[in-house]
Amino acid sequence: MRAIGYLEPQPISAPSSLVDIELPRPKALGRDILVEVKAVSVNPVDTKVRANAKPVDGQHRVLGWDAAGVVVETGPEASLFKPGDEVFYAGAINRPGSDAEFHLVDERIAALKPRSLDFAAAAALPLTSITAYEALFDRLDVTRPVAGAANAIVIVGAAGGVGSIAIQLLRALTDLTVIATASRPETVEWVKARGAHHVIDHSKAMADQVAALGIGAPAFVFSLTHSDAHAGEIAKLIAPQGRVALIDDPKSFDIMLFKSKALSLHWEMMFARPVHQTADVIRQHELLTRVAGLVDAGKVKSTITDNYGKISAANLKRAHAQIESGTTLGKIVLAGW
């Protein structure tokens, strides 16, 4: 089968940073399903792994943690899907990725794709939807109020893939006031179109801007990028006993800034459930099923912004370069072979 992989961590500009390869077609065992991949999308995690992680077995490592496709085979213990079902999922970081014609995935972290979307638009959703949903409802527990705080959340760096879906989930499933941060005209318009009630500029003092809204100190902050640089402003703007969630990889993070307000800090890592095979791993199947329902009901839209064409090393390199530029709006997708 066709696939894309790498042998050595390299800058994306290197000719062999990603290459087209041929691999044996895998077979579904246990609770795995084998999916014929129709579309994939690219996330920052793809670029970080490619640039830093050396394959441990001397073989090509296949990336890709977002896919939509058709089930062609089910393992003997699988019961959620049958051949012919159209599914979407994000996979697990400790297994071969979805940048391949056929891909094995645990059925408990996949779901039937939204009926109203084609494969490309569906492939844009899984990783960001799982990340946003788990962070908001499992980690921050946004449906549980913070005493004395404004019923509001600040999403720092809201124009990327996770922020784009987080805004929509909050508007569809809660009555929270959504304050998004963005620093460029195009990103301001993007987050407004996704449903943000207010937009502030994270390149300036955020606490002053939040105070100027006149709604009080927010109960929650969801920080998606440069959390180390924004930690001081987050500590200032949030209400006492508020809750903060992070998804990025800050080189340092001064947690002592949060002590005086008794703030709680929550890490969201969407691969935690499948990698550690937690007792509630099927939660990802359930939440993706709910997201698909919201999409088909017209309450959530795909965050696809660019389709770079067929799944190939050349097109994936373009996508990785764009992600690494730090200026991506929404999600980049590749579809077909």
Side-chain angles (χ1 to χ4, degrees):
M1 68 174 183
R2 289 170 288 186
I4 298 94
Y6 73 96
L7 284 173
E8 294 286 342
Q10 298 180 82
I12 196 60
S13 57
S16 59
S17 58
L18 290 170
V19 295
D20 295 299
I21 57 177
E22 288 285 333
L23 294 174
R25 172 172 160 163
K27 181 174 178 56
L29 302 173
R31 295 200 67 173
D32 279 350
I33 55 175
L34 182 64
V35 177
E36 183 179 4
V37 175
K38 300 293 187 181
V40 298
S41 71
V42 183
N43 295 283
V45 64
D46 298 67
T47 68
K48 293 173 184 177
V49 173
R50 187 215 75 245
N52 297 290
K54 183 178 177 63
V56 295
D57 55 4
Q59 302 297 310
H60 285 91
R61 180 163 185 177
V62 177
L63 305 174
W65 294 287
D66 255 339
V70 179
V71 177
V72 294
E73 183 182 315
T74 62
E77 298 172 27
S79 60
L80 299 176
F81 305 102
K82 63 183 184 305
D85 284 343
E86 297 180 350
V87 296
F88 72 146
Y89 58 89
I93 199 168
N94 61 336
R95 301 187 67 179
S98 58
D99 295 339
E101 277 189 280
F102 296 93
H103 184 228
L104 287 175
V105 62
D106 187 324
E107 65 168 358
R108 294 170 294 177
I109 61 173
L112 294 174
K113 82 169 183 65
R115 296 185 303 275
S116 56
L117 297 183
D118 62 16
F119 288 109
L125 287 171
L127 185 143
T128 54
S129 294
I130 295 168
T131 300
Y133 199 106
E134 288 185 345
L136 295 172
F137 299 102
D138 295 349
R139 317 297 176 222
L140 289 177
D141 196 9
V142 296
T143 58
R144 179 169 59 90
V146 172
N151 190 39
I153 183 169
V154 176
I155 304 177
V156 181
V162 174
S164 299
I165 195 69
I167 294 169
Q168 296 185 74
L169 290 174
L170 287 163
R171 292 302 308 270
L173 300 174
T174 79
D175 61 355
L176 283 165
T177 296
V178 179
I179 305 166
T181 84
S183 60
R184 294 178 284 134
E186 60 269 32
T187 55
V188 170
E189 290 306 310
W190 175 264
V191 297
K192 285 181 178 178
R194 307 282 82 73
H197 293 97
H198 304 285
V199 184
I200 63 173
D201 186 346
H202 52 246
S203 69
K204 301 175 182 177
M206 292 191 292
D208 291 344
Q209 295 175 75
V210 170
L213 297 175
I215 63 174
F220 312 105
V221 173
F222 187 17
S223 183
L224 308 181
T225 184
H226 301 298
S227 294
D228 45 356
H230 297 307
E233 287 296 308
I234 291 170
K236 290 178 184 178
L237 70 85
I238 195 170
Q241 302 186 96
R243 301 193 282 275
V244 180
L246 312 181
I247 68 167
D248 59 336
D249 303 305
K251 293 180 180 179
S252 63
F253 193 83
D254 187 1
I255 196 170
M256 290 305 295
L257 293 168
F258 292 0
K259 183 176 181 179
S260 70
K261 288 185 176 178
L263 304 177
S264 59
L265 181 66
H266 305 262
W267 282 106
E268 164 54 23
M269 176 62 169
M270 58 81 56
F271 293 124
R273 281 175 162 134
V275 167
H276 297 286
Q277 288 291 288
T278 60
D280 63 349
V281 66
I282 200 166
R283 170 94 166 140
Q284 293 195 348
H285 164 74
E286 295 166 349
L287 71 85
L288 281 178
T289 298
R290 189 172 192 190
V291 169
L294 291 170
V295 171
D296 289 335
K299 295 181 178 180
V300 169
K301 295 180 180 179
S302 173
T303 53
I304 182 175
T305 49
D306 289 294
N307 186 332
Y308 277 18
K310 69 178 182 178
I311 306 169
S312 67
N315 286 337
L316 274 174
K317 289 178 74 170
R318 285 178 58 215
H320 278 231
Q322 177 60 37
I323 293 288
E324 290 178 347
S325 76
T327 60
T328 306
L329 275 173
K331 294 297 296 291
I332 300 170
V333 170
L334 289 77
W337 293 88

